[in-house]
Amino acid sequence: QVQLVESGGGLVQAGDSLRLSCAASGRTFSSYAMAWFRQAPGKEREFVAGIRWSVGTKDYADSVKGRFTISRDTAKNTVYLQMNSLKPEDMAVYYCAARVGLMVRVAAHYDYWGQGTQVTVSS
């Protein structure tokens, strides 16, 4: 069974940085796509960034492009989301997700989810 465990959330000020981690276990992830989604109160879960585990191909939502960087450490089975220049509108619960196959931006197409980690950005 795939398990995803996020960490690294917290309370920061606008302009600060945070790095989220997603420790993955239970599978060999070479055929997987991994992604970060976020959900703010009263809003739908939205795609933030994704990465193909095997080749490292990346994709970003326009709202975070140039500020956030997704990466993975294959030796540690961990995916990271480096978030720089944080804005109040980035405040949300951030979720790590995994699916077999291509990277997509639709939450419903992901089979495995972590429990989420809260990111709070004060202005």
Side-chain angles (χ1 to χ4, degrees):
Q1 181 71 2
V2 172
Q3 282 195 314
L4 304 173
V5 180
E6 302 101 333
S7 61
L11 170 63
V12 296
Q13 293 188 330
D16 285 350
S17 299
L18 272 178
R19 189 178 79 158
L20 306 183
S21 300
C22 172
S25 62
R27 288 284 191 280
T28 299
F29 291 94
S30 57
S31 60
Y32 277 66
M34 311 292 290
W36 287 97
F37 287 79
R38 65 187 182 187
Q39 189 166 19
K43 295 189 176 181
E44 292 189 356
R45 194 166 296 191
E46 65 172 353
F47 173 82
V48 175
I51 188 167
R52 284 288 306 276
W53 192 273
S54 58
V55 297
T57 308
K58 302 175 185 181
D59 186 28
Y60 296 95
D62 288 345
S63 59
V64 306
K65 202 171 289 184
R67 299 188 298 123
F68 291 10
T69 302
I70 190 170
S71 62
R72 86 266 191 256
D73 185 328
T74 56
K76 296 182 178 180
N77 265 12
T78 300
V79 178
Y80 302 99
L81 185 68
Q82 177 66 43
M83 305 185 295
N84 298 330
S85 303
L86 282 161
K87 304 175 181 180
E89 51 263 44
D90 294 319
M91 185 161 57
V93 177
Y94 282 71
Y95 296 91
C96 179
R99 69 184 303 269
V100 175
L102 298 176
M103 179 172 46
V104 297
R105 294 187 172 197
V106 180
H109 290 186
Y110 284 79
D111 301 305
Y112 304 100
W113 293 86
Q115 81 286 354
T117 186
Q118 177 71 46
V119 172
T120 302
V121 184
S122 64
S123 56

